[in-house]
Amino acid sequence: MRKRSFVLAALAGVTVLAAPVTASAAAETSGAAGASGTATAAETSGAAGTRTVSFRGMRLRVPSGWQVHRQGDWMLVQTGRCDRPAYFAPGCKGFWVLGPEAIKYGREGFGAYTGEQPFYPASDVQSCPFSAKTGQVIGKPTAAGLRRVGRGHKAKYVSWFGRCVTHQGGRQTATFAQREWFLPTSKILVVDVWNTPGLSNVLKNATWS
């Protein structure tokens, strides 16, 4: 049952497994402009073949072929095929940039996301990123630590091991990594389940306004 307008469509039949993360807490050595305001996004022209996308003061230079979809407290940066650019719709290739309202309900069961457990704004089983015909199971982290997101900002980074399983019998059909960059001071969370090429460098080279 959809309990929030931004919650994923409900599935059934598999439980979600998660383990607390013991990595160091995120540290942002300077606050980002706009961190206390509403989530905003904008685009400007950049160098040839690139565009600059802005969200709550964080500015990312991305390839010009990547499309941007915004609604309320989230932004999808579409990097490939996406038949339906809805909130975490299966089969929509890209990464997500989320603001404080999404973070507020981003833990399983609609609790506040802190980075100690994976981003999972639902209380039931959700679609595999690749297909709505299977469900997802998110397990233990495979990497954790601090990652730079532009000068003076460090995110709490976690990569969670994910599996796609059938609804009947739980047979594994695919695996994925759910990568998360959390900036608690700026109230920004980046979530990538497609192993987007170059995303780590895009975030590392972010600028702030």
Side-chain angles (χ1 to χ4, degrees):
M1 183 171 69
R2 185 169 296 178
K3 296 186 178 181
R4 300 280 174 185
S5 61
F6 51 82
V7 173
L8 303 103
L11 296 175
V14 186
T15 58
V16 176
L17 304 176
V21 178
T22 58
S24 300
E28 291 184 272
T29 57
S30 63
S36 61
T38 58
T40 58
E43 296 177 54
T44 59
S45 299
T50 67
R51 68 171 70 177
T52 300
V53 179
S54 178
F55 187 89
R56 294 182 60 80
M58 180 181 70
R59 298 169 60 85
L60 305 176
R61 179 171 290 184
V62 302
S64 58
W66 291 3
Q67 301 180 41
V68 178
H69 308 274
R70 314 180 192 89
Q71 182 175 331
D73 205 42
W74 59 260
M75 176 174 73
L76 165 66
V77 181
Q78 179 186 335
T79 62
R81 180 174 177 176
C82 180
D83 295 330
R84 185 170 64 93
Y87 195 76
F88 281 91
C92 190
K93 201 167 186 178
F95 63 92
W96 296 83
V97 186
L98 309 169
E101 285 303 310
I103 293 169
K104 184 177 179 180
Y105 300 104
R107 182 174 175 174
E108 183 184 6
F110 307 103
Y113 174 90
T114 64
E116 298 301 316
Q117 290 187 325
F119 180 77
Y120 200 89
S123 59
D124 49 15
V125 178
Q126 302 304 303
S127 296
C128 168
F130 316 129
S131 171
K133 295 181 179 180
T134 55
Q136 63 171 277
V137 177
I138 301 179
K140 295 182 179 181
T142 58
L146 298 179
R147 297 289 175 89
R148 173 180 164 177
V149 182
R151 180 179 296 178
H153 296 259
K154 289 184 178 179
K156 181 175 185 176
Y157 172 81
V158 185
S159 179
W160 302 90
F161 179 69
R163 300 189 297 126
C164 298
V165 298
T166 59
H167 298 302
Q168 299 297 325
R171 179 177 60 86
Q172 180 174 301
T173 61
T175 62
F176 63 94
Q178 178 164 307
R179 302 189 296 169
E180 302 172 357
W181 290 259
F182 181 39
L183 295 149
T185 301
S186 303
K187 296 182 174 61
I188 295 174
L189 172 64
V190 178
V191 180
D192 176 39
V193 295
W194 289 91
N195 197 27
T196 301
L199 178 56
S200 294
N201 283 333
V202 166
L203 294 171
K204 181 179 179 180
N205 295 319
T207 57
W208 296 83
S209 59

